[in-house]
Amino acid sequence: MSEKRPTMRDIARELGTSAVTVSKAMAGKAGMSDELRSKILKKATEMGYEYPTNRPAPAREHLEIGILIPDWYFTPDSFYAEIYKRLIRKLADLGHFGLLEILDRESERELRLPSLMTTKHVDGLILLGESSKTYYRKVAQCGVPVVLLDFYDEQANADAVVGDNAYGTYRLTSHLIRQGHRDIGFVGNVKATSSIMDRFLGYFRAMLMNDLKVREEWILSDRTGEGRPEKPVLPDKLPTAFVCNCDLTARTMIHLLQERGYKVPEDISITGFDDFPHGKENEVPLSTFRVNTDGMIDTAIRTLLERCNGGQKPFGRMIVSGQPVYRESDLPREIN
């Protein structure tokens, strides 16, 4: 008598789950974690389960995922370096492989596709950090599933995962206003990236909602048109507070103000964004908006894996919420 072939119910019994869950995993349907899906498919293989000929192939167990980062964003202690490390760890935990490629300016200008794509080494690609629109739109049109991480573009053929940028700076600016600040500036090259633009819009909304004037001389740039960092130029007359587009810029502003003889937060309050890095022991603890980086990473990987396994839903932008963190870099002001 031939050995009985295992069924979905047998696999479910082994894993302590339901046959419906096993069926969804094998069909590549949404509604479960990548970790659980991988576990079910592995168990099915171990038990010798045979897929019916009319059933779609299961999600692929081991994918190679490229991570492309512009070199001007990538330094050993940068925010994107930390995200990259977490991406690699998460992919490995799920049984996939992460491959890094650094995008240099010459390749970007000449619109040279990443080697990971031209050599067909990857099943999907995560673009971490915003390059030129012309470049990343070309990459997104090359047939490999792409996810934009920490920026978005409605005209790119790709999904995007971002933090809650506009809401974050709206919360920080509103916090300063409740503390009595009326003269508030913004620090960031507004047109440099979609994230900085959205953070400026959150600041602008809070000012508008409270009938406060946004003064052009208090909108300071922190980077060149090519995205390279540069020190903001302080105006002669300063506001009582600055909302900065990221924590690194906020710390730069604190040092610039201290060089001018101002105390932070006694004279001028400062807020950042990202909650990275935390700064040195002798630096002012920074009020900021904590980005849910793990949530962004999970969402980006899940979205890309669904695309790699045949997902056909419309492209979209997914916003991952965060939360404000108030520390010691801002102080109340007396309301006139």
Side-chain angles (χ1 to χ4, degrees):
M1 184 175 179
S2 61
E3 186 178 349
K4 180 184 175 183
R5 293 178 180 177
T7 65
M8 290 187 188
R9 191 170 282 104
D10 294 329
I11 297 169
R13 191 179 299 112
E14 286 288 322
L15 294 173
T17 187
S18 68
V20 173
T21 300
V22 173
S23 176
K24 286 183 176 180
M26 292 181 174
K29 293 182 179 179
M32 70 180 65
S33 68
D34 296 319
E35 184 177 3
L36 176 58
R37 189 189 309 279
S38 179
K39 188 176 181 181
I40 290 171
L41 296 177
K42 183 178 180 181
K43 178 59 69 173
T45 301
E46 291 174 354
M47 294 177 66
Y49 179 81
E50 295 183 8
Y51 297 92
T53 55
N54 63 345
R55 181 175 294 279
R60 293 166 60 190
E61 196 167 347
H62 302 295
L63 294 172
E64 294 188 336
I65 303 300
I67 303 168
L68 182 67
I69 308 176
D71 63 0
W72 52 98
Y73 291 130
F74 194 74
T75 57
D77 59 350
S78 68
F79 181 59
Y80 284 145
E82 177 62 26
I83 292 182
Y84 161 70
K85 293 175 188 175
R86 297 189 193 184
L87 277 168
I88 292 294
R89 286 197 294 265
K90 181 65 177 180
L91 286 167
D93 289 344
L94 297 173
H96 305 296
F97 305 98
L99 304 171
L100 173 66
E101 183 169 345
I102 303 295
L103 172 65
D104 58 74
R105 287 290 187 184
E106 183 179 355
S107 296
E108 181 193 31
R109 285 193 297 268
E110 296 183 1
L111 300 181
R112 291 201 296 263
L113 292 175
S115 297
L116 291 172
M117 296 182 75
T118 57
T119 55
K120 304 186 185 304
H121 276 173
V122 292
D123 301 291
L125 189 68
I126 294 174
L127 272 61
L128 176 55
E130 188 169 346
S131 59
S132 69
K133 285 182 172 62
T134 306
Y135 185 82
Y136 64 69
R137 287 176 182 175
K138 180 178 180 179
V139 170
Q141 292 172 351
C142 290
V144 173
V146 169
V147 168
L148 314 178
L149 183 52
D150 202 35
F151 72 101
Y152 67 94
D153 178 6
E154 72 284 358
Q155 296 183 41
N157 295 320
D159 295 298
V161 178
V162 296
D164 207 348
N165 295 306
Y167 182 65
T169 45
Y170 174 78
R171 288 287 303 273
L172 292 170
T173 310
S174 298
H175 166 71
L176 292 171
I177 293 170
R178 286 194 301 271
Q179 288 192 309
H181 292 274
R182 294 296 177 265
D183 297 331
I184 306 173
F186 179 86
V187 188
N189 187 331
V190 176
K191 294 184 179 180
T193 70
S194 58
S195 294
I196 298 177
M197 172 66 80
D198 283 351
R199 292 171 191 180
F200 171 76
L201 293 175
Y203 152 81
F204 187 86
R205 178 173 180 255
M207 297 292 282
L208 188 65
M209 292 290 290
N210 288 276
D211 298 318
L212 297 177
K213 185 177 180 180
V214 174
R215 294 176 53 165
E216 185 177 349
E217 65 269 28
W218 290 343
I219 310 302
L220 311 184
S221 176
D222 67 334
R223 64 197 70 195
T224 66
E226 291 188 336
R228 298 187 185 280
E230 65 176 2
K231 288 185 178 181
V233 178
L234 299 179
D236 292 332
K237 179 176 171 53
L238 293 168
T240 63
F242 278 107
V243 174
C244 300
N245 82 90
C246 68
D247 288 353
L248 288 175
T249 293
R251 297 201 181 282
T252 297
M253 280 294 293
I254 291 173
H255 295 154
L256 286 175
L257 290 167
Q258 289 173 339
E259 288 173 2
R260 280 248 194 130
Y262 293 97
K263 294 180 180 179
V264 176
E266 292 84 353
D267 298 324
I268 298 176
S269 292
I270 297 288
T271 66
F273 204 101
D274 291 330
D275 200 25
F276 177 90
H278 296 297
K280 301 174 183 177
E281 289 185 6
N282 61 342
E283 290 184 318
V284 180
L286 194 60
S287 293
T288 187
F289 188 80
R290 179 178 296 153
V291 175
N292 182 0
T293 51
D294 289 334
M296 291 173 64
I297 288 166
D298 290 346
T299 302
I301 291 176
R302 182 179 68 249
T303 301
L304 187 60
L305 295 183
E306 288 174 358
R307 292 287 183 196
C308 290
N309 286 301
Q312 298 295 320
K313 65 182 180 180
F315 295 118
R317 179 184 65 161
M318 285 141 280
I319 299 175
V320 179
S321 62
Q323 61 183 19
V325 181
Y326 304 123
R327 298 191 178 102
E328 297 173 24
S329 65
D330 66 87
L331 280 177
R333 285 294 187 276
E334 183 178 346
I335 300 177
N336 295 325

